[in-house]
Amino acid sequence: MANILIIEDEISIAELEKDYLELAGFQVTMVNDGQKGLLEAMAGDYQLIILDLMLPGLDGFEICRQVREEKDIPILMVSAKKEDIDKIRGLGLGADDYMTKPFSPSELVARVKAHLARYERLVKNHDKVNEVIEIRGMKIDKTARRVYVNEEEKILTTKEFDLLSFLAGHPDRVFTKDELFREIWDMESFGDIATVTVHIKKIREKIEEDAAKPQYIETIWGKGYRFKV
Ligand code: CA
């Protein structure tokens, strides 16, 4: 069951919306003031917001803008004035839909359902896609942070994983130890570029069949390392 937040200062309208949405099976919270509405929108676990434009405290433009910076849930904006709807569109605040008052409550419920269904699909698809690099029997799942060689999982430390996935993500390019050190360790380490050499050695021991004859990370003498394509 989805949680819906209504930010609306006209109590009779807010209650009408609430009644219809609850009948449709949604959990509804009402807030009648802009400032409180923004706080509730940010802190609460809502899947959709119905946002009035003209509100005491803080207007709907500002609430929409601030919520959008943090959350990608659908925002349905309502206003008494047709001109305001054009203004909302023009500002590109990231609202998903607009309705002019008065609107039929069943139309509102239909739109809420449509937006929630679309949002759910987006979230699901987003969850499903792991960023994976696959190359000659090795699979690096960057989302799950797991490495497999010929289906067998290899356990790498955080930095080993970062280094391997960086190199594999930029195949056929030579990186110097300096570049790799800056890329993976940044300024957080007291180590030096020898750290890179040590980590490459460890990675090879874990992923290569024969660490002396590496098939994945090549040493380019006098230059650095390159991930073989
Ligand atoms: Ca209002």
Side-chain angles (χ1 to χ4, degrees):
M1 190 198 299
N3 292 322
I4 296 174
L5 176 64
I6 298 173
I7 308 176
E8 168 67 71
D9 61 323
E10 282 170 76
I11 309 288
S12 59
I13 292 182
E15 293 204 317
L16 184 69
E17 291 173 355
K18 184 173 187 277
D19 286 349
Y20 271 82
L21 289 166
E22 282 179 347
L23 273 175
F26 297 111
Q27 192 95 43
V28 182
T29 303
M30 289 190 300
V31 179
N32 310 116
D33 164 276
Q35 197 68 50
K36 286 184 196 136
L38 176 64
L39 290 176
E40 187 60 34
M42 292 300 211
D45 180 25
Y46 296 102
Q47 282 76 53
L48 185 140
I49 300 173
I50 298 171
L51 177 60
D52 183 32
L53 192 62
M54 298 310 289
L55 291 161
L58 195 64
D59 69 25
F61 291 116
E62 189 56 23
I63 295 172
C64 184
R65 198 183 60 74
Q66 291 199 34
V67 171
R68 203 30 102 230
E69 280 177 13
E70 300 285 324
K71 300 186 177 207
D72 60 356
I73 54 172
I75 301 176
L76 212 161
M77 293 192 79
V78 294
S79 172
K81 283 192 269 175
K82 180 87 174 63
E83 310 87 82
D84 285 338
I85 305 294
D86 295 335
K87 200 171 162 195
I88 298 168
R89 282 182 208 274
L91 284 171
L93 293 167
D96 295 86
D97 206 350
Y98 324 87
M99 291 184 92
T100 316
K101 291 182 210 169
F103 46 78
S104 92
S106 46
E107 169 74 11
L108 174 76
V109 171
R111 292 206 196 186
V112 164
K113 282 182 177 167
H115 284 290
L116 283 172
R118 194 180 58 88
Y119 180 65
E120 219 168 89
R121 279 198 303 277
L122 276 180
V123 171
K124 268 194 197 138
N125 287 338
H126 189 262
D127 282 350
K128 241 186 262 166
V129 179
N130 274 25
E131 204 187 333
V132 174
I133 300 170
E134 282 194 88
I135 199 151
R136 283 176 287 110
M138 178 160 66
K139 183 173 148 190
I140 303 171
D141 185 332
K142 292 178 79 173
T143 313
R145 295 183 67 88
R146 289 171 184 266
V147 179
Y148 304 86
V149 180
N150 300 323
E151 310 288 310
E152 193 189 323
E153 185 170 6
K154 305 291 176 184
I155 308 301
L156 272 63
T157 65
T158 303
K159 291 299 179 194
E160 287 165 6
F161 182 88
D162 290 345
L163 185 55
L164 175 64
S165 59
F166 177 76
L167 285 166
H170 301 82
D172 208 25
R173 268 177 61 181
V174 179
F175 291 95
T176 65
K177 289 174 192 174
D178 267 314
E179 285 170 328
L180 292 172
F181 186 72
R182 273 202 307 273
E183 184 66 38
I184 308 301
W185 282 268
D186 200 12
M187 290 293 144
E188 73 188 53
S189 171
F190 294 108
D192 54 42
I193 59 171
T195 314
V196 178
T197 317
V198 172
H199 278 73
I200 294 280
K201 185 169 175 286
K202 297 260 191 219
I203 294 169
R204 280 177 176 156
E205 283 165 6
K206 290 176 180 179
I207 66 165
E208 298 282 358
E209 208 164 301
D210 179 355
K213 291 180 196 155
Q215 299 303 304
Y216 294 108
I217 302 170
E218 293 177 285
T219 302
I220 310 299
W221 293 108
K223 301 277 186 203
Y225 299 102
R226 176 172 66 196
F227 196 92
K228 270 196 199 179
V229 273

